[in-house]
Amino acid sequence: MMNQMYYQNACKFCLTTSVIFLLLPLSANAQTKLKEAEINNYMINQPNSNLLQIDDSVKKPISQNYLERIKMLIMRNQIEYPQPILNNYKQKSEQNIYLLIILKNRKVYVYKDNILQATYPVAIGKQGWETPTGKFTVINMVENPDWENPFNSSKEIIPPGLQNPLGERWIGFWTDGKDEIGFHGTYKRDSVGKAISHGCIRMYNEDVRKLYEIVKIGTPVIVIP
């Protein structure tokens, strides 16, 4: 009697184990298909799902092979779905620092938490080339910049050095898509304090180097008459 019960239980165990081993691959395959379907649905429903947004003006097509590799990476590593790159992304100042240019004073004032930190003399735009007033932000920064002569049809490039009108640093804060205005150094020290530029804010090289270390992309710039 005991032997009969033992053989029955053993048969049941073997049968159950066989069924489990048969179902496991099917379950795993079903989960993989479900995950792949979820990923496909996620990627298809993203805005501009076939475009990689680099910035507001540049878009690059993504190949189908690239999309397949992304899907495989997600499936293999079970990582969270990548978030879509946001359009109109803007960097914001987290320093609580802003710059105030008062044109009539020929000076730029550096504030942090509304407390004056530094003041530097500047040159501003001459008549007919006035420095624009308003609220702006720092949009680009360059150490030892080249200068392209906008008044020369040959687009002459002046490398860094004593002949370069931009001096040792460039901090841009305005553009119309073609021309730019910003802070820059100058080797013409006697021009600082005058209305003499084509709209830019000229500074002594030693001062613009200091300012360059204070600001970053996104720092607010306020210009008033």
Side-chain angles (χ1 to χ4, degrees), residues 126-138:
K126 61 186 176 182
Q127 185 175 3
W129 294 89
E130 290 82 0
T131 301
T133 58
K135 296 180 180 179
F136 313 98
T137 59
V138 173

Side-chain angles (χ1 to χ4, degrees), residues 41-201:
N41 184 63
Y42 168 81
M43 300 182 77
I44 289 170
N45 286 306
Q46 293 307 307
N48 299 323
S49 59
N50 64 331
L51 295 172
L52 176 62
Q53 185 79 30
I54 303 299
D55 57 32
D56 288 339
S57 60
V58 180
K59 295 180 179 179
K60 294 184 177 181
I62 299 178
S63 69
Q64 188 61 34
N65 288 337
Y66 180 79
L67 292 176
E68 291 298 327
R69 289 198 297 272
I70 292 293
K71 287 163 60 178
M72 290 303 298
L73 180 64
I74 295 171
M75 305 232 355
R76 286 177 184 172
N77 297 285
Q78 295 296 295
I79 60 176
E80 294 182 0
Y81 295 158
Q83 295 301 311
I85 299 173
L86 299 178
N87 293 327
N88 302 318
Y89 174 75
K90 295 181 180 179
Q91 290 177 292
K92 297 180 180 179
S93 174
E94 297 176 355
Q95 308 161 291
N96 294 322
I97 289 175
Y98 68 91
L99 308 180
L100 173 64
I101 302 169
I102 301 181
L103 297 176
K104 67 180 180 180
N105 292 352
R106 311 285 200 271
K107 290 182 179 180
V108 56
Y109 303 86
V110 181
Y111 285 87
K112 182 175 183 179
D113 295 321
N114 290 321
I115 298 174
L116 183 63
Q117 303 293 310
T119 304
Y120 302 110
V122 300
I124 63 172
K126 61 186 176 182
Q127 185 175 3
W129 294 89
E130 290 82 0
T131 301
T133 58
K135 296 180 180 179
F136 313 98
T137 59
V138 173
I139 55 176
N140 52 44
M141 301 172 64
V142 183
E143 295 186 34
N144 300 312
D146 293 329
W147 181 67
E148 181 179 314
N149 188 345
F151 307 106
N152 189 322
S153 59
S154 66
K155 300 296 182 180
E156 178 186 12
I157 302 294
I158 307 297
L162 295 177
Q163 302 303 315
N164 190 314
L166 299 183
E168 297 179 10
R169 298 290 186 274
W170 167 265
I171 306 171
F173 63 83
W174 178 94
T175 182
D176 61 359
K178 178 183 177 183
D179 299 315
E180 294 187 35
I181 288 176
F183 301 89
H184 64 79
T186 182
Y187 294 101
K188 296 181 178 180
R189 297 182 65 86
D190 60 348
S191 69
V192 175
K194 300 177 182 178
I196 197 171
S197 77
H198 289 92
C200 284
I201 304 296

Side-chain angles (χ1 to χ4, degrees), residues 4-50:
Q4 185 177 0
M5 291 181 63
Y6 172 80
Y7 285 121
Q8 287 178 349
N9 289 333
C11 289
K12 289 180 180 179
F13 175 78
C14 291
L15 181 60
T16 302
T17 304
S18 300
V19 171
I20 290 174
F21 277 108
L22 286 172
L23 290 178
L24 276 176
L26 295 176
S27 176
N29 185 57
Q31 289 181 3
T32 301
K33 291 294 184 181
L34 178 60
K35 177 63 70 175
E36 186 173 6
E38 290 176 354
I39 294 170
N40 280 329
N41 184 63
Y42 168 81
M43 300 182 77
I44 289 170
N45 286 306
Q46 293 307 307
N48 299 323
S49 59
N50 64 331

Side-chain angles (χ1 to χ4, degrees), residues 210-222:
K210 294 175 184 176
L211 188 65
Y212 193 93
E213 296 303 316
I214 293 171
V215 304
K216 67 177 185 178
I217 303 297
T219 297
V221 180
I222 302 169

